[in-house]
Amino acid sequence: MLTLNAAKAAKPKKKEYSIKDGLGLFLSVLPSGGKYWAFRFSWQGKQQRISLGVFPDVDIKTARERRDACRELIITGLDPRLPRRKGIEDDTETVKSVTFAEYAENWKTFKLLKLAKKRGNIQSKGLKQKPERQSTKIQIERYLRLDFLPSLGEIPIKDIKRQDILSVLRKIEKRGSLSIVKKCMTWLNEIFRFAIAEGLIEMNPASDLDILLLEHGPAKNNPHLAKEELPKFLYDLRNYKGEYQTMLGLRLLLLTGVRTGELRFAFPEEFDLDKKLWLVPPETVKQLQRKVFATKEKIPAYIVPLSEQAVEVVKELLSLCRPGQKYLLSHRTEPMQSISENTLNHGLHRMGYKDKLTGHGIRATISTALHEMNFPSSWIDAQLSHSDKNTTRLVYNHAQYVEDRRGMMQTWADTLDELEKSYVPVVLDKLVA
């Protein structure tokens, strides 16, 4: 029998593998490091398996209890893959009584396992493993808890009508969260399609509801600052009252022009401070991701030259690293995790720049300013890894302009220093007055 220590100690390999516990129960270990319990059994002459939960959220004792419950169902002639409510013995009644809350939990477990397997495939290619977006897990749980379960949770999944689902979506729509409505509709469709595939229902009540919902308009341009607004912003950034790491992260965005995701998932080892370079793995660069996964060709790292000021910021961030920290910018309470996708924007909000500037808007600020300073568009586009229909040209041309870009970004950093200094006397004069 498997022990708790053995389950904890199981290390990931290139391919998924299983550790046997007994009586059909085993622990499956994914290449990504995730682990889940599963139960193997024979049903109508064929070998089947069912997931019993993610380890360590589901401990060994609970997994064995779930296995035993499945074995009892098989003995009585019932398929353990059908979700059940306690105390109900008739198979038809079981299907009728499965609530939305119970089935949504099954779907969520499957969804997260599927994402874990995808991350395992990325790892098996030898690519940098980008963490699961926090919004994938957290947003599903948040909107299940806030919107789906209060309205639909206790209703048997077989009895849910289109009007029930439309009512939930309308409430989210009234809050003005039109992009969230679209995500929620996608998740609801998956839940009911999942239930159809398992034979619990025959019709998807979430299908074709998009025609009744408000259109999610085109994405608004990320707000950005004009050059004349930078002196005050730089002063405000220098006097930021929040987390020191967040302030440094915002300053590094302003000095490099990288995307927030490229900074969030940056490893310390990507930085060569002697050569003043940041080598961003291609699978992290938005414009290169499709090419990375579509070809066996080795794609070189995306080169970001660093100014003297950017090097100093990176050095300061490295000096803040804690034991076990994985990313350059780490989560406040979980050093193995990166900062959340909202951290930098929340920092800007705290500074008073809500609706005035976003992390992505910093890129537009840099682009506008550099064009006003008459730098060539080819250098600016290469620095910001702007979209290029010819991805091969995008992959290789940026390296051609490295030294040109180095000079450009050093000039930009020096300009920022001068702009910041220009604002201080104004503030001092006001204080004296």
Side-chain angles (χ1 to χ4, degrees), residues 251-258 278 304 306 310 366 383-384 409:
R251 188 168 291 277
L252 193 55
L253 281 182
L254 192 59
L255 289 167
T256 59
V258 299
W278 178 0
V304 179
L306 301 173
I366 296 171
Q383 180 67 22
L384 302 176
M409 297 311 290

Side-chain angles (χ1 to χ4, degrees), residues 288-402:
L288 300 180
Q289 288 170 352
R290 183 173 295 181
K291 186 173 182 67
V292 167
F293 297 113
T295 181
K296 294 182 179 179
E297 178 186 356
K298 184 174 176 59
I299 307 299
Y302 205 86
I303 302 173
V304 179
L306 301 173
S307 63
E308 296 283 354
Q309 292 89 330
V311 168
E312 290 306 310
V313 172
V314 174
K315 284 182 178 178
E316 186 68 9
L317 285 167
L318 291 173
S319 74
L320 298 176
C321 287
R322 297 169 287 168
Q325 183 167 325
K326 186 175 179 182
Y327 298 96
L328 182 68
L329 299 179
S330 71
H331 192 280
R332 184 170 55 182
T333 59
E334 299 178 34
M336 286 293 288
Q337 300 296 324
S338 67
I339 58 171
S340 82
E341 61 185 324
N342 297 316
T343 298
L344 298 172
N345 280 334
H346 283 168
L348 292 170
H349 295 174
R350 184 168 184 163
M351 289 168 57
Y353 286 82
K354 185 177 181 180
D355 299 326
K356 297 179 183 178
L357 182 65
T358 64
H360 195 76
I362 288 176
R363 287 165 53 80
T365 298
I366 296 171
S367 177
T368 301
L370 291 178
H371 277 104
E372 289 176 356
M373 295 164 71
N374 295 317
F375 285 104
S377 295
S378 56
W379 298 4
I380 299 170
D381 290 343
Q383 180 67 22
L384 302 176
S385 65
H386 275 157
S387 180
D388 191 323
K389 292 181 179 179
N390 186 331
T391 55
T392 301
R393 184 170 60 207
L394 174 66
V395 169
Y396 297 106
N397 277 11
H398 75 282
Q400 178 182 346
Y401 300 120
V402 169

Side-chain angles (χ1 to χ4, degrees), residues 87-143:
I88 300 176
E89 297 299 326
D90 181 76
D91 202 30
T92 301
E93 289 302 313
T94 297
V95 173
K96 288 182 179 179
S97 68
V98 176
T99 65
F100 176 86
E102 292 169 333
Y103 201 75
E105 184 64 27
N106 286 357
W107 165 81
K108 187 185 77 173
T109 299
F110 175 80
K111 177 86 172 176
L112 297 181
L113 282 172
K114 197 172 180 181
L115 288 171
K117 281 179 174 285
K118 182 178 180 181
R119 295 198 302 277
N121 290 337
I122 291 173
Q123 192 178 56
S124 68
K125 282 189 171 187
L127 301 173
K128 174 182 174 182
Q129 184 177 326
K130 187 173 179 178
E132 170 193 336
R133 281 177 55 89
Q134 292 189 350
S135 59
T136 306
K137 181 176 186 293
I138 293 175
Q139 285 192 4
I140 286 174
E141 292 176 342
R142 178 185 299 151
Y143 293 105

